[in-house]
Amino acid sequence: MPAAIIDGKVVADRMQAEIAEQAARFTAKQGYPPGLGVVLAGDDPASAQYVRMKSRACERVGIASFSRVMTAASTQQEVEDAVASLNADPKVHGILVQLPLPKGINEEPVLRLVSLDKDVDGFHPVNIGMLGMKGRDPLFTPATPTGCMVLLKEAGAQIEGANAVVIGRSNIVGLPVALMLMKANATVTVCHSRTRDMQSIVRQADIVIAAIGKAEFVKGDWLKPGAVVIDVGTNKVDDPNDERGYTFIGDVEYSSAVNVASAITKVPGGVGPMTITMLLANTMKAAWRLAGE
Ligand code: GUN
């Protein structure tokens, strides 16, 4: 029997409807809407596209967005000043610094500068540190990993005690999702470009999170039958059949994996819609906290 499809769009739409209700309630009570500040520096087209999608989603649910758009020639000081101005703005409840920052900008001090109360991306080193520590809870967790965890729960995956394999160790996805799985009492293995015999490790996994950024890297015959598979990859590939001339495919070879897994996400329509939704949810949470509720 082919795997059940874990539909991120359906889950995201449901959650966004709930966020829109909350945003309307917040606005009625405070007299102004929840606000998300976005720092976009540089000319990476993918980053510009993500930021446009985030702004549109904010508009849809009734969250105001405040953009600080800067060129690739921006200095460290200018980027830090943009964050500081959003920290100081009472109409801004959440701050997102779109990554990667341009070459020559040191990311670490920029992320450290984001007010902890407004760190809706969860990338402040204190929030990441608390995510990794036993008995501590960060104020906010990063959007994409949180979306993966929500989808696992939607799929009915048993996380506690499961063997979970994360493929990829980026600061944005691989590392934080591994920490979140560990907090949820999974036994976690992180595979990466230097891992030996990755297939035999993936074969042990009840849960696979693929976030390595390589198109169709994980094949169906790597998987343990019945595994739950979350595909974080969004790899742009040429596609003459698509009117744009390109399309996006995941890190998992869907056509073979769907016959082995018990549940699987699609690309697009899996993790992607969840990322923005979790950012909106974190912004709403930040707004209520800052309003004293
Ligand atoms: N770049 C790619 N993904 C993300 C994300 O989730 N947040 C930010 N800030 N930048 C990103």
Side-chain angles (χ1 to χ4, degrees), residues 97-202:
V97 179
Q98 185 63 34
L99 303 175
L101 287 166
K103 279 199 181 64
I105 305 286
N106 185 355
E107 180 184 299
E108 214 281 327
V110 175
L111 296 179
R112 184 181 288 279
L113 193 64
V114 174
S115 161
L116 272 177
D117 290 325
K118 299 188 178 185
D119 183 35
V120 291
D121 238 356
F123 289 154
H124 190 292
V126 167
N127 274 326
I128 289 287
M130 289 203 287
L131 182 59
M133 293 168 88
K134 222 175 154 181
R136 312 274 161 87
D137 282 311
L139 279 174
F140 302 101
T141 54
T144 304
T146 309
C148 294
M149 297 300 288
V150 171
L151 291 181
L152 283 176
K153 285 176 194 145
E154 281 288 327
Q158 165 78 22
I159 301 175
E160 181 161 330
N163 285 335
V165 169
V166 177
I167 308 174
R169 53 175 164 176
S170 71
N171 288 340
I172 292 175
V173 185
L175 172 88
V177 83
L179 297 177
M180 293 179 87
L181 286 161
M182 203 154 67
K183 240 190 212 321
N185 298 319
T187 301
V188 183
T189 307
V190 179
C191 296
H192 47 78
S193 54
R194 315 278 168 84
T195 298
R196 274 185 260 135
D197 195 9
M198 198 183 298
Q199 294 182 36
S200 72
I201 297 170
V202 173

Side-chain angles (χ1 to χ4, degrees), residues 76-87:
Q76 183 81 29
Q77 190 63 50
E78 286 167 337
V79 175
E80 292 186 15
D81 286 349
V83 172
S85 78
L86 294 169
N87 276 343

Side-chain angles (χ1 to χ4, degrees), residues 238-263:
D238 292 338
D239 182 358
N241 295 323
D242 191 295
E243 60 189 27
R244 298 168 299 184
Y246 62 86
T247 191
F248 291 97
I249 57 174
D251 289 354
V252 178
E253 189 183 71
Y254 182 83
S255 58
S256 57
V258 74
N259 295 315
V260 186
S262 64

